[in-house]
Structure formats: C-alpha cells, structure tokens
Amino acid sequence: MMEVDIGRYSVLLTRCNGKYSAIGNQCTHYGAPLVLTGHKVRCPWHGSCFNAVTGDLEEFPGIDSLPCHKVRIQNSKVYVTINKKIGAASLICAETLRQENFGGRIIMASRDDLLPYDKTRLSKVMNVLSDTIVLRRMEFFHQYGIEVWLRKEAMSVDTEKKTVTFADGLVQSYDQLLLSTGCAKGLDVPGMKLDNIKMLETPEDARQIHAACLGCNVVLVGTSFVMEVASYMIGKASTITVVGSSEMPYQNTLGLEVGKITMMMLLENGVKFYMNDHVMEIKGVNGKVKEIVLKSGNIIPADVLIVGIGSLPNSEYLRGTKIQMNAKNFVVVDKYMQTNIPDVFCAGDLASFPLAVAKNQLVNIGHWQMAQAQRIAALNMLKKTTELTSVPYYWTVLLGRTIRYAGYGEGYTEIVLKGNYESEERKFLANDEVIAAVGLNYDPVVSAVAERLLSGKVITKKEA
C-alpha cells in the first residue's frame, strides 16, 4: 500500500494478490489514516474497516464506504482516474435498507428533537454545536425517501396487531419493527430534583454542563465515560471530584490495572477521587446543589453534580408485550438481532445479544461501534441472513492521550504488558491471551488485534 497524490486528491494505491486498486486514503469517521491488513484497510484510531479492493465499509464506526477509483495498467505503469462520487452509507438500518434496494416505506421515529448525531463527541468537546455533529442532514433523508419523525415518543407496541402507539395518540402499523431506544442514566437518592444536576445525553446537555462548571466545584458520579468529562473540566472548573462504586475507574471495561493508570493521570492534574463509595443524599440551598453526602460519611461541596451511572433500558413501552427481556429489562435477541417475536428486531444499547468472540455469551455492550454494527438487523429484515460477528472496539481520550480497547475482557485472568506503563510516556499493551487488548498511545496495535480476533485466530500468551 502507498499513498499517492492525483491533482488535489490523495488516494491509497493497494496491491492484493497482484490486483491493483485505488481507494480513499482517510477513514470516513474522523478522517484517520489507514493501515493495510491482508485484504482490508483499518482505522488505527477507532477500528473502522474497509475492503482494500472495493472500499466497501465492513466494520463501523465509519459512516460511508471509501471512494473507489478506476485503475488501469499500461506499460508497467499504474493509471488512476478519480471518481468523485462517494459510496452509499451504512450507518443506520434505514440506510442499509435503501442500500439493499428496499423500495417500501421507511419511518424513523424518535422522541429526540435532533437528527442522529455523533454521541461519542459529547464528553470530549462539550461546547459543541449540534450542527457540527449531525451525521446526516434532512436533505439526505429526503433524497432517499426516509421519513424522520422527531419528538415522537413510542408508548406501547402491539405485536399481534403489529402496531406502535405514540404519545400523541397516533397508531402506526408496521410490517417489520426495529427497537433501538437505548438506555438512560439515573441516580435514585433524595435531592435529585435540585437544580444543577446534569446528565450528559444530548448536545444541549453538553453545552449546559460546560457553562455551569466554569469556575465551580464539580462532582461526577460514575467511573466510565464521565472520566472524559473530568479530563475536559481540568483548568475550567475550580475543583473536580469523582465518586465511584468500584476500586478504580474503567474497572468494568478496561480492567483494574488500566484503571489504575487512568486514575493516576487524573490525580496528577488535581482531580480528587472517592472510590468504593456511593452517593446517599444531595443537599441544596435555594433550590440548587450545595453538598453531596456519601455512604462513607464524607461530605463534598458541589455547585454542579454530573450523573454518569446507571444503564437503565428505555423499554417501559414494551411492558405487557411478549417480547423477551432479561432480568434487567434489556431485550434479548439472537445473532441475527431478531427477538423472540417474528418481524421484531432490536439493536443498540437496548439489546442483549450473543457475542461471537465471547463464545456467544449474551452480553449488553453500550459502545457506539457495536450499536452501528448491529444494523445487520436490516439485512435480516430483508431475509439476507447475516450473523453478528463484529469485535467490540472502544476508545476514550484523557488529557490528550488515547486509550483504545478491542475484544471482550470480562473474566480475564492475566495481563501481559508491552512497555513500561509507569514510565513518562506510559505506553503499554494489556492483553489477555485470547480475549482482549488495550493500549495507551500505542497505535495501531489494538486495531491489528481486532482484525486478528475477527478472523477467529487465537492469540497465544507467547504472541501477546
């Protein structure tokens, strides 16, 4: 693979089994450079994967396929003719249906008042403008005949009559139904109705948190994505305090050892931690947050409380149906994203699904990339039988350093390290011998591991 310039354009010229191809040189997600692995090119930042010959999108969170250009070989020279048309999108079920030439009616209904946007950016750049993170503008949906109903909340589903009833009283029939209503955060303690208690779910939430925290005492409850908020607030808030129920941040997703490193990075920048603890009460003055009372008895001064815990599935509207849900009210699906009810599918944070790299164990993974990959539901709606084979890929940014994670590490027994994570650069690779890898500023190793796991080949301890 090599990058070449053609006029104002840069393309990747690849040769696979003697065949030359010319494709786009940047990932369609955030514009990252690409790495060649076999017959695929991968994004080393977030794990997107494309066919090196056709440019077709094979793994999310890429938004479109790579543009593929005409190649001609003459007199031992390679000639490339630029094709300025970018391939069809595959971000959501509706787009996949149109991509697969489905000609029927498609309705996307959401209780939100915004078109689909990139939620991964909310905790990284909090004063973001909504228009800058919208994935598709309304013109796109008009062009492809996709109806978008905003501020339209589903209240109930009748799977026998095949109808959905909305809050405004409208009853809409369906032939096939995708449930993708996600999850919400929540904290159930006295004082939750006070002002300046924030949950980060929308661009407006992000802007309000940014404005409310400047020069103030900020307390964050949770130790996963809200660590990005803690990192963002350094130098902006007066004090930053994190309250977590685990021993270390990111412990459930990245493991104890990696969590220790993230905690150390933030401690060095003035962030305080109260771990193995819980919020018992929120006290206020004049209707606003003033103090956070912990189970340990500690009392933390707070002007703003940011709640980042709880993964409460938005499945209330499914109560009374025969759709199977687990004990935590997540919707159970098979490897085709099909529920136990014919013509009803589920994807995203709401789904409990069999994960191929975890021996088909039923899991719930609230990652952006995995939610997009589950749009295979659209293919199965069209009777184009497709199994979910994606490898989970997760990334987070703290203090300008990027942590990337591939695989599913729950139940790991050992960590194999590459590099010295106590050093100034703190480069490391933590890898259980077969199930997961995590790296700090160690590109493109994690993407290479994701590709290996996807191929079904075992990574031995010696190789790790």
Side-chain angles (χ1 to χ4, degrees):
M1 179 178 73
M2 66 181 296
E3 190 173 71
V4 295
D5 292 326
I6 302 177
R8 296 183 292 110
Y9 297 90
S10 293
V11 301
L12 288 182
L13 187 63
T14 66
R15 185 176 66 190
C16 296
N17 293 336
K19 182 177 181 179
Y20 289 87
S21 297
I23 56 178
N25 68 324
Q26 294 180 333
C27 178
T28 58
H29 180 222
Y30 275 10
L34 301 169
V35 179
L36 182 66
T37 58
H39 291 177
K40 301 176 182 179
V41 287
R42 264 195 180 268
C43 167
W45 292 0
H46 306 133
S48 300
C49 183
F50 307 86
N51 187 295
V53 176
T54 65
D56 287 347
L57 177 64
E58 295 187 354
E59 185 61 274
F60 299 95
I63 299 175
D64 289 296
S65 298
L66 296 174
C68 186
H69 310 293
K70 183 178 179 180
V71 176
R72 177 171 57 91
I73 310 296
Q74 184 176 344
N75 298 327
S76 299
K77 292 184 178 180
V78 180
Y79 294 87
V80 178
T81 303
I82 288 293
N83 169 21
K84 298 180 182 179
K85 184 178 179 181
I86 295 178
S90 306
L91 175 61
I92 56 176
C93 241
E95 297 184 40
T96 304
L97 289 169
R98 286 290 184 248
Q99 193 176 33
E100 296 297 319
N101 299 315
F102 173 69
R105 188 181 184 188
I106 300 175
I107 300 171
M108 288 174 50
S110 171
R111 68 180 181 187
D112 289 343
D113 57 3
L114 290 174
L115 292 172
Y117 53 87
D118 186 351
K119 291 188 177 182
T120 66
R121 295 184 61 184
L122 295 184
S123 54
K124 299 176 178 68
V125 186
M126 303 193 67
N127 56 345
V128 66
L129 297 175
S130 301
D131 285 349
T132 64
I133 61 172
V134 168
L135 296 169
R136 300 294 189 202
R137 299 191 180 280
M138 189 58 81
E139 292 80 7
F140 174 88
F141 297 107
H142 288 160
Q143 180 181 354
Y144 291 101
I146 299 170
E147 297 178 43
V148 181
W149 295 356
L150 300 178
R151 296 176 292 277
K152 203 80 166 178
E153 183 175 4
M155 301 303 292
S156 64
V157 173
D158 188 325
T159 59
E160 293 184 0
K161 294 181 179 179
K162 301 185 80 168
T163 60
V164 179
T165 300
F166 294 91
D168 60 2
L170 174 68
V171 179
Q172 176 63 50
S173 61
Y174 67 84
D175 293 309
Q176 306 217 54
L177 177 66
L178 176 73
L179 309 171
S180 186
T181 45
C183 295
K185 301 296 177 184
L187 180 64
D188 186 14
V189 296
M192 275 299 293
K193 293 185 179 180
L194 291 167
D195 288 342
N196 278 1
I197 297 177
K198 308 290 185 181
M199 297 182 195
L200 180 55
E201 295 181 336
T202 68
E204 181 58 29
D205 293 337
R207 289 191 293 270
Q208 288 183 11
I209 290 172
H210 170 85
C213 291
L214 298 178
C216 295
N217 297 314
V218 179
V219 176
L220 303 100
V221 181
T223 53
S224 185
F225 84 96
V226 290
M227 293 297 96
E228 294 182 342
V229 181
S231 173
Y232 176 84
M233 287 299 165
I234 292 172
K236 300 179 179 70
S238 178
T239 65
I240 305 167
T241 305
V242 174
V243 178
S245 59
S246 58
E247 185 178 347
M248 294 291 170
Y250 292 114
Q251 186 169 326
N252 293 334
T253 50
L254 303 180
L256 191 66
E257 295 84 352
V258 180
K260 180 180 178 182
I261 301 304
T262 62
M263 187 175 187
M264 187 163 57
M265 290 166 57
L266 294 171
L267 280 170
E268 289 173 353
N269 284 271
V271 178
K272 299 176 183 178
F273 285 85
Y274 289 84
M275 303 302 290
N276 293 318
D277 217 335
H278 298 271
V279 174
M280 297 299 290
E281 185 181 0
I282 306 166
K283 293 185 176 181
V285 173
N286 297 326
K288 293 185 177 181
V289 172
K290 191 64 177 178
E291 293 178 336
I292 310 299
V293 181
L294 303 184
K295 184 179 180 180
S296 62
N298 289 302
I299 298 177
I300 309 170
D303 302 308
V304 181
L305 174 65
I306 302 171
V307 178
I309 63 169
S311 188
L312 308 174
N314 293 318
S315 57
E316 300 89 351
Y317 66 103
L318 301 177
R319 290 176 183 171
T321 72
K322 295 180 180 179
I323 297 172
Q324 182 184 355
M325 293 187 277
N326 64 17
K328 295 183 179 180
N329 292 320
F330 290 94
V331 175
V332 178
V333 298
D334 59 19
K335 57 188 175 182
Y336 310 107
M337 310 312 296
Q338 167 88 52
T339 71
N340 62 311
I341 302 297
D343 297 324
V344 178
F345 296 77
C346 183
D349 295 2
L350 184 62
S352 175
F353 62 94
L355 182 63
V357 295
K359 299 180 179 178
N360 289 320
Q361 174 185 346
L362 281 176
V363 300
N364 173 254
I365 297 177
H367 294 173
W368 183 248
Q369 165 262 352
M370 186 55 70
Q372 291 175 295
Q374 290 168 355
R375 295 324 195 251
I376 63 154
L379 298 175
N380 291 303
M381 285 179 174
L382 299 175
K383 311 304 180 186
K384 298 183 178 182
T385 305
T386 308
E387 297 183 11
L388 181 67
T389 59
S390 293
V391 174
Y393 198 102
Y394 167 87
W395 68 93
T396 186
V397 180
L398 297 177
L399 301 167
R401 296 180 176 92
T402 302
I403 299 171
R404 311 195 195 284
Y405 177 94
Y408 186 71
E410 185 174 302
Y412 75 91
T413 57
E414 188 175 357
I415 289 287
V416 178
L417 294 172
K418 169 83 171 174
N420 179 8
Y421 63 71
E422 299 293 345
S423 67
E424 183 178 354
E425 289 187 339
R426 290 181 183 147
K427 290 185 177 180
F428 66 91
L429 174 67
N431 196 336
D432 184 277
E433 61 182 281
V434 292
I435 59 174
V438 59
L440 172 61
N441 286 357
Y442 215 77
D443 295 335
V445 173
V446 174
S447 284
V449 171
E451 183 63 30
R452 180 69 173 267
L453 292 173
L454 184 63
S455 73
K457 297 177 181 177
V458 172
I459 301 173
T460 67
K461 179 179 177 180
K462 182 178 179 180
E463 286 178 297

